[in-house]
Amino acid sequence: MRAGYAGLLPCLLLLAGANQPPADKVQPPPVPPVDSGITMMAAPVAILITSFDADRDRVVTRAEFDAGVKASFALGDANGDGAISLIELSHWAEAELGSAGALPGRFDFDRNEDDRISEAEFVAEFARRFAAYDKNGDGRLTRDELLTLNFQRPQPGKGKRGR
């Protein structure tokens, strides 16, 4: 049995070499891109805002935004008392933003610090977010307006694994 395997090894080596390009056509390995530390990203609230796009035209109009904010508040006000408690806010953030610790958080909404977020406070915070994202002031939010640049200075001597 071993003699059969011994004859197989040279054949495999020949086959492996047959698939190699000629020496003059060997391409150098690709050069990895330079890590500038700049990335495009979307904040959890921006991702939520994209879900307000009712007609799926990839533009969130002010009417779609207002309807989305109203529906989001209703989701957050689980007990229907007209306000979002801090516990309800945690559940809302997890459901709508993907994490109970995602922003906007309590201090963004609860401006009067009464541990309850009224609908007016909720709407006001989202209105601030709309104005900040609407870079060209046209009353509509496009995907590019919802993206933000994130800059993290590369640390010398650290590759992707060292971060």
Side-chain angles (χ1 to χ4, degrees):
M1 220 32 161
R2 285 188 174 226
Y5 287 122
L8 185 60
L9 182 61
C11 290
L12 290 174
L13 290 174
L14 283 172
L15 285 174
N19 290 331
Q20 298 298 319
D24 61 335
K25 301 219 183 210
V26 174
Q27 297 291 325
V31 177
V34 176
D35 185 4
S36 65
I38 300 173
T39 58
M40 296 290 285
M41 57 186 287
V45 70
I47 296 169
L48 172 62
I49 291 168
T50 64
S51 76
F52 297 164
D53 180 13
D55 61 7
R56 300 293 179 226
D57 64 353
R58 292 178 172 70
V59 174
V60 179
T61 64
R62 188 58 198 235
E64 289 172 322
F65 180 84
D66 291 342
V69 169
K70 183 176 176 126
S72 189
F73 180 82
L75 177 73
D77 183 17
N79 65 3
D81 68 352
I84 298 175
S85 70
L86 298 183
I87 292 173
E88 287 173 322
L89 180 65
S90 177
H91 295 300
W92 170 84
E94 195 167 316
E96 293 283 77
L97 305 177
S99 169
L103 296 177
R106 172 190 174 199
F107 296 109
D108 296 305
F109 289 115
D110 190 15
R111 297 295 174 137
N112 65 3
E113 299 178 13
D114 66 351
D115 295 338
R116 293 170 38 90
I117 298 160
S118 68
E119 187 170 3
E121 287 173 313
F122 192 86
V123 168
E125 178 57 30
F126 271 96
R128 279 189 288 279
R129 301 285 172 145
F130 188 95
Y133 281 124
D134 188 14
K135 294 173 181 83
N136 62 7
D138 67 353
R140 306 166 358 126
L141 298 178
T142 57
R143 301 294 166 108
D144 65 313
E145 289 176 306
L146 295 169
L147 293 174
T148 55
L149 280 177
N150 183 32
F151 179 77
Q152 183 178 32
R153 186 176 300 252
Q155 296 182 9
K158 290 200 174 188
K160 290 185 179 183
R161 289 185 170 183
R163 288 190 183 180

